[in-house]
Amino acid sequence: MTTSSPTLEAVAVRPPEALWRKTVRTFFRQRSAVIGLSIVVLLALVAIFAPLIAPYDPTRVLIGVEDVKRRDPPCIHILGCDSEKPQHILGIDGNVRDVFSRLIYGTRISFTIGFITVAIALIVGSILGSIAGYIGGWTDNIIMRLLDVLLAFPSLILSIAIVSVLGPSLINAMLAIAIVSIPAYARVIRATVLSAKQEEYVHAARTLGLDSGRILFRHILPNAITPLIVQATLGIGAAILETAALSFLGLGAQPPTAEWGSMLSAERNQLFTAPHLVFFPGLAIMLNVLGFNLLGDGLRDALDPRLRNY
Amino acid sequence: MSYLKLRRNAGLALMMALLLPILAACGGSTTPSTSSNAPAATEAPAAQAPAEEATEAPAEGAEAPAEGASETPAGDIGEIPPAGPQGGLSKNGDLLVASVSSCDVDGYAGIFKEIAAIDSHTVQFTLCNIDPAFEAKLAFAAFQIHPSEYIVATGGTGDLIEKPIGTGPWKFESWNRGDSIVLVRNEDYWGEKPAFERLVIRWSTEAAQRLLELQSGNVDGIDNVGTEDIDVVKNDPNLQLLERPALSTFYLGLVNTSGPLQDEKVRQALAMAIDKQRIVDNFYPAGSSVANYFTPCTLDHGCSGEPWYEFNPEAARELLAEAGYPDGFDIDLSYRDVVRGYLPQPSQVAQDIQAQLKDNLNINVNINVMESGAFIDAANAGKLEGMFMLGWGADYPEVTNFLDYHFGASSVSFGTPYEDIVENLRKGASLATFEERDPFYVAANNAIREHVPMIPIAHGGSAVAFAGDVENANTSPLGNERFELMTPGARDTFVWMQNAEPTGFYCADESDGESFRICQRVSESLLSNEVGGTKPVPGLATECTPSEDLLVWTCKLRENVKFHDGSAFDANDVVMSYWNVWDASSPYHVGRTGDFTYFEALWGSFMNAK
């Protein structure tokens, strides 16, 4: 389509639709973005259908239930494992639970963490950033300097401090990570609002007598969505990684919750004697974060007109 | 393109320049241990000279008054603090005497009546009651002897806790917090001097890291080999494994002032609902056993009385329903994630107890992992809520060491003490023969079973490992490894890696085995324990003999013994070291926490307690 010489009528009719179509096409042209999307969709399906996929209850201790020993290696019948032994495709953990089932349910936790954390940070960050950008002056200064203070701390250290005050739990870990992520969203939205409020359509709206709230939420914010989508997608990966780190330190998900970081932490001493217990949760974290990062990168390339390659 | 390449290379170079110092700093923590190991010994002297100067400098300063003190035993301790209402310290000529006015003085329930220096090298202990474990207690690390001048000079400050001075085979050089402790050979040691110059203590809570450090030659010995790693060590020709006999108990503490645990039926239900055999089978190494009493059965009176409840989840559910909790309840389970001989896999055991209580009683257990020092302090002070996982390794092989410390009048770990247990233990500890004592321990163990202040779960066997070329490697059921008797090949430094950082070195006010192990290298008690065993043997006293009625013990002290600061060891040091802990009104009765839990638990009570 781009090869045909556009006529005036075509330009007048096609723009809104063509923009999205071009975006989608640009996105799907990038192999890494497609891989990222595939990973995320696959993991989302795993999270949704976890009870159907997982063969065992993730917290069920199998002592006395099946003939398995703690930290048994994977047993897959089609790969030659004795068919009389119960099949555990990723083995048994230190508390005699099925690792595969725990890993599957861990996907749910990771997705929940990623989305809720980013949602909290996105909402609060957008409100603060847009107020700061739109009102400007002292309000802008106060809000942004306070957020700069948050940015001055390494995010993980600040999260640890917040969880230490609130008490270790998955919800507090999510809150902590959301709080430390707020500045990033606020800065993105503020920058967009600052440039958008100089646009002519905003001047026009103001001239027409629309109130500030309407201008901000109806006219400016919809135009700031693009960078937010990119930031949020990348943020999900970062949030999952940070929650795993907090859980590894014992500050996030509490036993017996099947969370990848805490699964890693519980078996960290078995790196040499039962490597499968450390390898698979680590691989799951890596895949999940990689998926969201590739997806985020792809979205950025597709949505940013400066990077668009026609 | 070439410009882009140049920019990229310049960027890479800049990154490397920024990263290298960071990497170097990160590696810094491991460098000293590596360099302090094998070949470094020959290179050490240059770096070592200033360190020796630094440690010897105060010693020379302290030597002047001490030299004089060797002639007149009273030493330079200044004025004797005024006595309290129950008694205090006094002088008999140049000799110190610590005493209570009477054994029956109001509010005093201690064993000591008087501790007196008879001459410069004789100390006499006069007791209010017979104490069959007297010699075993004298050998314990919580009752070590420090120079009286140093106690006076440092009492109330942190020096006694952080820079201990004793008579032991090792002098304290430095405590690099979070990293290591360095001890140097005491060249003036009265006994056989260590064969190597430097003893470095490091720690890691991770069993895998400890083993890796040993395998890679960074350390010469490690504590508590992981359960799964025992076979790895056994099969490695470059390592040697020493199994440590099980003289310890792992228990689940139930705080009787906390929520549903105030009800005895709830505690009894919990006692029936935990399958201890399952825990031992799955999480403990060979040589471990299910605990049916708090005290291991190898000790006299340990297994007197009724054994523990059988595992019976149905009966437990009925009992819990009777107590008004048919649908269970929520409760905290606190522990420290530190591997000990009695608890080789804390996190897995905690999760198994959590799963068992959920399955058997529908109790939701919230797991609360705490920092090691904070956890111990909170447990000793009775500040934990709900349940907690802790254990006990023998300090001396006597039933009083297990029962009196945990269930005596001064113990608040499990909440309010149980009067009937306290009374039976008090009577049992004041009698001399097995036959006289046993009925009281039968009654005490039965009362423990009835009230369930805790649930004894396992007697854990454990193991230590050493590099293959370490000669005379030894271990001890009391956790007192004698590094001074070992020879680490041709190396001049021995590096030991234990589970956790010690909390302090004034061990009268410590209760953690990680601290005791270091204290026993630097300071000494009147008696010691045989190598690899528990039998009391001469230490700073060459002998301690009782009177016929067993109420007066006379200890002859070893002559020509010097403290690390150069001062001479004499009877006044013994009186001063004991009195300072015994008398709660002493201005120097200050430690890391100020609880001095062992003294109160093992010797009855303080004098002039507030």
Side-chain angles (χ1 to χ4, degrees), chain B residues 254-258 261-262 264 267 379-383 403-426 444 447-448 450-454 600-601 604:
Chain B
L254 307 176
V255 181
N256 67 6
T257 49
S258 172
L261 295 184
Q262 293 174 52
E264 194 158 282
R267 300 197 299 272
N380 285 339
K383 288 181 180 162
L403 296 185
D404 292 28
Y405 184 89
H406 293 89
F407 310 107
S410 62
S411 171
V412 290
S413 285
F414 309 120
T416 313
Y418 299 87
E419 281 305 320
D420 49 350
I421 306 178
V422 170
E423 192 52 27
N424 280 305
L425 291 181
R426 198 184 60 74
I448 290 171
E450 182 191 341
H451 299 311
V452 197
M454 54 80 232
E600 201 176 16

Coordinates of all heavy atoms in Angstrom, one line a residue, chain B residues 254-258 261-262 264 267 379-383 403-426 444 447-448 450-454 600-601 604:
Chain B
L254 N 5.9 -23.3 72.3 CA 4.6 -22.8 72.4 C 4.4 -21.8 73.5 O 4.5 -22.1 74.7 CB 3.6 -23.9 72.6 CG 3.7 -25.2 71.6 CD1 2.7 -26.3 72.1 CD2 3.5 -24.8 70.2
V255 N 4.2 -20.5 73.1 CA 4.2 -19.4 74.1 C 2.8 -19.4 74.8 O 1.8 -19.1 74.1 CB 4.5 -18.1 73.4 CG1 4.6 -17.0 74.5 CG2 5.9 -18.2 72.7
N256 N 2.8 -19.7 76.1 CA 1.5 -19.9 76.7 C 0.8 -18.6 77.1 O -0.3 -18.6 77.7 CB 1.7 -20.7 78.0 CG 2.4 -20.0 79.1 OD1 2.8 -18.9 79.0 ND2 2.7 -20.8 80.1
T257 N 1.3 -17.5 76.6 CA 0.6 -16.2 76.9 C 0.0 -15.7 75.6 O -0.4 -14.5 75.5 CB 1.6 -15.1 77.4 OG1 2.8 -15.1 76.6 CG2 2.0 -15.4 78.9
S258 N 0.1 -16.5 74.5 CA -0.2 -16.0 73.2 C -1.5 -16.6 72.6 O -1.5 -17.9 72.3 CB 1.0 -16.3 72.3 OG 0.7 -16.0 71.0
L261 N -2.9 -20.4 72.3 CA -2.0 -21.3 73.1 C -2.1 -21.1 74.6 O -1.5 -21.8 75.3 CB -0.5 -21.0 72.6 CG -0.2 -21.3 71.2 CD1 1.3 -21.0 70.9 CD2 -0.5 -22.7 70.9
Q262 N -2.9 -20.1 75.0 CA -3.1 -20.0 76.5 C -3.8 -21.2 77.0 O -3.8 -21.5 78.2 CB -3.9 -18.7 76.8 CG -3.1 -17.5 76.4 CD -3.9 -16.2 76.6 OE1 -4.6 -16.0 77.6 NE2 -4.0 -15.4 75.6
E264 N -4.4 -25.0 77.6 CA -3.6 -26.2 77.6 C -4.0 -27.3 76.6 O -3.2 -28.0 76.0 CB -3.6 -26.8 79.0 CG -2.5 -27.8 79.3 CD -2.2 -27.9 80.7 OE1 -1.5 -27.1 81.3 OE2 -2.6 -28.9 81.4
R267 N -2.5 -26.7 73.3 CA -1.1 -27.1 73.2 C -1.0 -28.6 73.1 O -0.2 -29.2 72.4 CB -0.4 -26.6 74.4 CG -0.4 -25.1 74.5 CD 0.7 -24.6 75.5 NE 0.5 -25.0 76.8 CZ -0.2 -24.4 77.8 NH1 -0.8 -23.3 77.5 NH2 -0.3 -25.0 79.0
A379 N 13.5 -14.7 71.7 CA 13.1 -16.0 72.3 C 13.5 -16.0 73.7 O 12.7 -16.4 74.6 CB 13.7 -17.2 71.5
N380 N 14.7 -15.6 74.1 CA 15.1 -15.6 75.5 C 14.3 -14.7 76.3 O 14.1 -15.0 77.5 CB 16.6 -15.2 75.6 CG 17.5 -16.3 75.1 OD1 17.1 -17.5 75.1 ND2 18.7 -16.0 74.7
A381 N 13.9 -13.6 75.7 CA 13.1 -12.6 76.5 C 11.6 -12.9 76.5 O 10.9 -12.1 77.1 CB 13.4 -11.2 75.9
G382 N 11.2 -14.0 75.9 CA 9.8 -14.3 75.8 C 9.0 -13.3 75.0 O 7.8 -13.1 75.3
K383 N 9.6 -12.7 74.0 CA 8.9 -11.7 73.2 C 8.3 -12.2 71.9 O 7.7 -11.5 71.1 CB 9.8 -10.5 72.9 CG 10.1 -9.7 74.2 CD 11.0 -8.5 73.8 CE 11.3 -7.7 75.1 NZ 12.5 -6.9 75.0
L403 N 17.0 -29.0 81.0 CA 15.7 -28.7 81.7 C 15.7 -27.4 82.4 O 14.8 -26.5 82.3 CB 15.2 -29.8 82.6 CG 15.0 -31.2 81.9 CD1 14.4 -32.2 82.9 CD2 14.0 -31.0 80.7
D404 N 16.7 -27.1 83.2 CA 16.7 -25.9 84.1 C 16.8 -24.7 83.2 O 16.1 -23.7 83.6 CB 17.9 -25.9 85.1 CG 17.7 -27.0 86.1 OD1 17.1 -28.1 85.8 OD2 18.2 -26.9 87.2
Y405 N 17.5 -24.7 82.2 CA 17.6 -23.5 81.3 C 16.3 -23.1 80.7 O 15.9 -22.0 80.6 CB 18.7 -23.7 80.2 CG 18.9 -22.4 79.4 CD1 19.9 -21.5 79.8 CD2 18.1 -22.2 78.3 CE1 20.1 -20.3 79.1 CE2 18.3 -21.0 77.6 CZ 19.3 -20.1 78.0 OH 19.5 -19.0 77.2
H406 N 15.6 -24.2 80.3 CA 14.3 -23.9 79.6 C 13.1 -23.8 80.4 O 12.1 -23.1 80.1 CB 14.1 -25.0 78.5 CG 15.1 -24.9 77.4 ND1 16.3 -25.6 77.5 CD2 15.1 -24.2 76.2 CE1 17.0 -25.4 76.4 NE2 16.3 -24.5 75.6
F407 N 13.1 -24.6 81.5 CA 11.8 -24.7 82.3 C 12.0 -24.2 83.7 O 11.1 -24.3 84.6 CB 11.3 -26.1 82.3 CG 11.2 -26.7 80.9 CD1 12.1 -27.6 80.5 CD2 10.3 -26.2 80.0 CE1 12.1 -28.1 79.2 CE2 10.2 -26.7 78.7 CZ 11.1 -27.7 78.3
G408 N 13.2 -23.6 84.0 CA 13.4 -23.1 85.4 C 12.7 -21.8 85.6 O 12.0 -21.3 84.7
A409 N 12.8 -21.3 86.9 CA 12.0 -20.2 87.3 C 12.3 -18.9 86.4 O 11.4 -18.1 86.2 CB 12.2 -19.9 88.7
S410 N 13.5 -18.8 85.9 CA 13.9 -17.6 85.2 C 13.6 -17.7 83.7 O 13.8 -16.7 83.0 CB 15.4 -17.3 85.4 OG 16.1 -18.4 84.9
S411 N 13.2 -18.8 83.2 CA 13.0 -18.9 81.8 C 11.6 -18.4 81.4 O 10.6 -18.9 81.9 CB 13.1 -20.4 81.3 OG 12.7 -20.5 80.0
V412 N 11.5 -17.5 80.5 CA 10.3 -16.9 80.0 C 10.1 -17.2 78.5 O 9.1 -16.7 77.9 CB 10.1 -15.4 80.3 CG1 10.0 -15.2 81.8 CG2 11.3 -14.7 79.7
S413 N 10.9 -18.1 77.9 CA 10.8 -18.4 76.5 C 9.4 -18.9 76.1 O 8.9 -18.5 75.1 CB 11.8 -19.5 76.1 OG 13.1 -18.9 76.1
F414 N 8.8 -19.7 77.0 CA 7.5 -20.3 76.7 C 6.4 -19.5 77.4 O 5.3 -20.1 77.6 CB 7.5 -21.8 77.0 CG 8.7 -22.5 76.5 CD1 9.6 -23.2 77.4 CD2 8.9 -22.6 75.2 CE1 10.7 -23.9 76.9 CE2 10.0 -23.3 74.7 CZ 10.9 -23.9 75.5
G415 N 6.7 -18.3 77.8 CA 5.7 -17.5 78.5 C 5.9 -17.7 80.0 O 7.0 -17.7 80.5
T416 N 4.8 -17.7 80.7 CA 4.8 -17.8 82.1 C 5.4 -19.2 82.5 O 4.8 -20.2 82.0 CB 3.4 -17.6 82.7 OG1 2.9 -16.5 82.1 CG2 3.5 -17.5 84.2
P417 N 6.4 -19.3 83.4 CA 6.9 -20.6 83.8 C 5.8 -21.4 84.5 O 4.9 -20.9 85.2 CB 8.0 -20.3 84.8 CG 8.4 -18.9 84.5 CD 7.2 -18.2 84.0
Y418 N 5.9 -22.7 84.5 CA 5.0 -23.6 85.1 C 5.5 -24.0 86.5 O 6.6 -24.6 86.6 CB 4.8 -24.9 84.2 CG 4.2 -24.6 82.9 CD1 5.1 -24.2 81.8 CD2 2.9 -24.5 82.6 CE1 4.6 -23.9 80.6 CE2 2.4 -24.2 81.3 CZ 3.3 -23.9 80.3 OH 2.8 -23.6 79.1
E419 N 4.7 -23.7 87.5 CA 5.2 -23.8 88.9 C 5.7 -25.2 89.2 O 6.7 -25.5 89.8 CB 4.1 -23.4 89.9 CG 4.0 -21.9 90.0 CD 5.3 -21.2 90.4 OE1 6.1 -21.8 91.2 OE2 5.7 -20.1 89.9
D420 N 4.8 -26.2 88.8 CA 5.2 -27.6 89.2 C 6.4 -28.1 88.5 O 7.2 -28.8 89.1 CB 4.0 -28.6 88.9 CG 3.4 -28.4 87.5 OD1 3.8 -27.5 86.8 OD2 2.6 -29.3 87.1
I421 N 6.7 -27.6 87.3 CA 7.9 -28.0 86.6 C 9.1 -27.4 87.4 O 10.1 -28.0 87.7 CB 8.0 -27.6 85.2 CG1 6.7 -28.1 84.4 CG2 9.2 -28.1 84.5 CD1 6.7 -27.7 82.9
V422 N 9.0 -26.1 87.7 CA 10.0 -25.3 88.3 C 10.4 -26.0 89.7 O 11.6 -26.2 90.0 CB 9.6 -23.9 88.6 CG1 10.6 -23.1 89.5 CG2 9.4 -23.1 87.3
E423 N 9.4 -26.4 90.4 CA 9.6 -26.9 91.8 C 10.3 -28.3 91.7 O 11.3 -28.5 92.4 CB 8.2 -27.0 92.5 CG 8.3 -27.3 93.9 CD 9.2 -26.3 94.7 OE1 9.3 -25.2 94.2 OE2 9.7 -26.7 95.8
N424 N 9.9 -29.1 90.8 CA 10.5 -30.4 90.7 C 12.0 -30.3 90.2 O 12.8 -31.0 90.7 CB 9.7 -31.3 89.7 CG 8.5 -31.9 90.4 OD1 8.6 -32.6 91.4 ND2 7.3 -31.6 89.9
L425 N 12.2 -29.4 89.3 CA 13.6 -29.2 88.8 C 14.5 -28.7 89.9 O 15.6 -29.1 90.1 CB 13.6 -28.2 87.6 CG 13.0 -28.7 86.3 CD1 13.1 -27.7 85.2 CD2 13.6 -30.0 85.9
R426 N 13.9 -27.8 90.7 CA 14.7 -27.2 91.8 C 15.1 -28.3 92.8 O 16.3 -28.4 93.2 CB 13.9 -26.1 92.5 CG 14.7 -25.1 93.4 CD 13.8 -24.2 94.1 NE 12.8 -24.8 95.0 CZ 13.1 -25.4 96.1 NH1 14.4 -25.3 96.6 NH2 12.2 -26.0 96.9
A444 N 9.0 -33.9 86.8 CA 9.2 -32.8 85.9 C 8.8 -33.1 84.5 O 8.1 -32.4 83.8 CB 10.6 -32.3 86.0
A447 N 5.2 -33.4 84.0 CA 4.5 -32.1 84.0 C 4.8 -31.4 82.6 O 3.9 -30.7 82.1 CB 5.1 -31.3 85.1
I448 N 6.0 -31.6 82.1 CA 6.2 -31.0 80.8 C 5.3 -31.6 79.7 O 4.7 -30.9 78.9 CB 7.7 -31.2 80.4 CG1 8.6 -30.3 81.3 CG2 8.0 -30.8 78.9 CD1 10.1 -30.6 81.1
E450 N 2.4 -32.8 80.3 CA 1.0 -32.4 80.5 C 0.8 -30.9 80.0 O -0.2 -30.6 79.4 CB 0.7 -32.5 82.0 CG -0.7 -32.1 82.4 CD -0.9 -31.9 83.9 OE1 0.0 -32.4 84.7 OE2 -1.8 -31.2 84.3
H451 N 1.7 -30.0 80.4 CA 1.5 -28.6 80.1 C 1.9 -28.2 78.6 O 1.5 -27.2 78.1 CB 2.4 -27.7 81.0 CG 2.0 -27.9 82.5 ND1 0.7 -27.9 82.9 CD2 2.7 -28.1 83.6 CE1 0.6 -28.1 84.2 NE2 1.9 -28.2 84.6
V452 N 2.8 -29.0 78.0 CA 3.3 -28.8 76.7 C 3.8 -27.4 76.5 O 3.2 -26.6 75.6 CB 2.2 -29.2 75.6 CG1 2.9 -29.3 74.2 CG2 1.4 -30.4 76.0
P453 N 4.8 -27.0 77.2 CA 5.4 -25.7 76.9 C 6.1 -25.7 75.5 O 6.3 -24.6 74.9 CB 6.4 -25.4 78.0 CG 6.7 -26.8 78.6 CD 5.5 -27.7 78.3
M454 N 6.4 -26.9 75.1 CA 7.0 -27.0 73.7 C 6.8 -28.5 73.3 O 6.4 -29.3 74.1 CB 8.5 -26.7 73.8 CG 9.4 -27.4 74.8 SD 9.8 -29.0 74.2 CE 9.3 -30.0 75.7
E600 N 21.6 -17.2 85.6 CA 20.4 -17.3 86.4 C 19.8 -18.7 86.2 O 19.3 -19.3 87.2 CB 19.4 -16.3 85.9 CG 18.3 -16.0 86.9 CD 17.4 -14.8 86.5 OE1 17.4 -14.5 85.3 OE2 16.7 -14.3 87.3
A601 N 19.9 -19.2 85.0 CA 19.2 -20.5 84.7 C 20.0 -21.7 85.4 O 19.4 -22.6 85.9 CB 19.2 -20.8 83.3
G604 N 20.7 -20.7 89.7 CA 19.5 -20.3 90.6 C 19.1 -18.9 90.4 O 18.1 -18.6 89.7

